[in-house]
């Protein structure tokens, strides 16, 4: 079984699967669900109840060079109405550098996700409107499946990456650091 198939099997019939279908209906340009919701769902599936990393929020990244914050707010409002007990972080990666001081401009959603702190977090999933799964895994899925917390190349010496890794280890003792 290839890694994408394994990831789909883990995420199918979870909260991720339900939310992906709703996000697909929003028609956001070049969107991906990525980050902690995907990572933590996989780690919880692999490591069980003793891995106390849950879904804090759903990170939805999209790219629209002409877009503005109103798209983000409208998508978040629609999803919050459908799922009032969940949190959604919807961000247009095209405008990220405009409001996050020191950030480089991104050329696509994939460019942005590849720049996230950890390889196991830089994993994007989505479903098209017909329910077909798609994956963006710039660093592969080996670290995610093995429970390895490894900074992406741009964040090897980033204190934020180190601090987040420490928090993951506290909540899930089965994880380990990668260099």
């Amino acid at each position: 079984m290839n890694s994408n198939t394994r990831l789909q099997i883990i995420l199918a019939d979870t909260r991720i699967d339900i939310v992906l279908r709703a996000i697909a209906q929003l028609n956001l340009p070049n969107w991906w669900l990525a980050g902690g919701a995907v990572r933590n769902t996989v780690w919880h599936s692999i490591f069980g109840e003793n891995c106390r990393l849950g879904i804090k929020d759903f990170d939805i990244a999209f790219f629209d060079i002409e877009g503005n914050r109103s798209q983000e707010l409208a998508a978040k409002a629609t999803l919050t109405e459908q799922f009032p007990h969940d949190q959604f972080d919807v961000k247009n990666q095209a405008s990220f550098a405009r409001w996050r001081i020191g950030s480089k401009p991104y050329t696509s959603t994939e460019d942005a996700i590849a720049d996230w702190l950890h390889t196991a977090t830089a994993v994007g999933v989505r479903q098209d409107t017909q329910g077909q799964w798609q994956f963006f895994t710039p660093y592969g899925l080996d670290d995610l499946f093995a429970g390895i917390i490894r900074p992406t190349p741009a964040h090897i010496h980033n204190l934020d990456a180190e601090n987040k890794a420490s928090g993951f280890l506290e909540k899930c003792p089965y994880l380990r650091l990668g260099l």
Side-chain angles (χ1 to χ4, degrees):
M1 164 186 342
N2 73 37
S3 294
N4 288 350
T5 301
R6 182 177 179 199
L7 181 58
Q8 182 177 340
I9 288 169
I10 290 172
L11 297 177
D13 299 321
T14 69
R15 194 87 183 126
I16 299 279
D17 186 27
I18 296 164
V19 170
L20 283 177
R21 285 183 252 146
I23 300 168
Q25 299 306 313
L26 298 174
N27 295 313
L28 293 169
N30 195 31
W31 68 272
W32 293 98
L33 174 65
V38 174
R39 179 198 63 226
N40 293 350
T41 299
V42 170
W43 284 349
H44 190 267
S45 172
I46 292 170
F47 300 113
E49 295 297 322
N50 289 330
C51 188
R52 299 179 322 278
L53 290 164
I55 296 176
K56 182 184 92 178
D57 63 4
F58 293 90
D59 294 306
I60 302 154
F62 69 98
F63 194 88
D64 185 356
I65 200 73
E66 301 298 321
N68 57 44
R69 297 293 292 227
S70 65
Q71 285 173 292
E72 297 170 358
L73 297 173
K76 181 177 179 174
T78 299
L79 292 168
T80 300
E81 185 177 307
Q82 290 177 307
F83 307 101
H85 302 293
D86 293 312
Q87 299 293 315
F88 296 93
D89 188 11
V90 183
K91 292 289 188 284
N92 182 358
Q93 303 303 301
S95 65
F96 206 72
R98 283 183 260 169
W99 58 267
R100 189 162 195 190
I101 306 301
S103 292
K104 68 173 187 144
Y106 295 123
T107 58
S108 66
T109 311
E110 293 81 6
D111 183 35
I113 292 171
D115 191 46
W116 290 12
L117 291 179
H118 300 104
T119 57
T121 306
V123 173
V125 297
R126 65 184 173 198
Q127 290 180 12
D128 62 22
T129 52
Q130 288 76 43
Q132 296 298 307
W133 288 74
Q134 298 173 355
F135 305 92
F136 176 67
T137 59
Y139 306 103
L141 293 169
D142 291 346
D143 286 353
L144 178 64
F145 293 143
I148 295 173
I149 308 165
R150 183 185 323 273
T152 58
H155 297 285
I156 289 174
H157 301 291
N158 184 330
L159 188 57
D160 287 340
E162 292 175 28
N163 290 338
K164 282 212 175 213
S166 295
F168 298 156
L169 291 168
E170 286 175 17
K171 293 182 179 179
C172 189
Y174 304 103
L175 303 176
R176 62 187 194 277
L177 295 176
L179 301 175

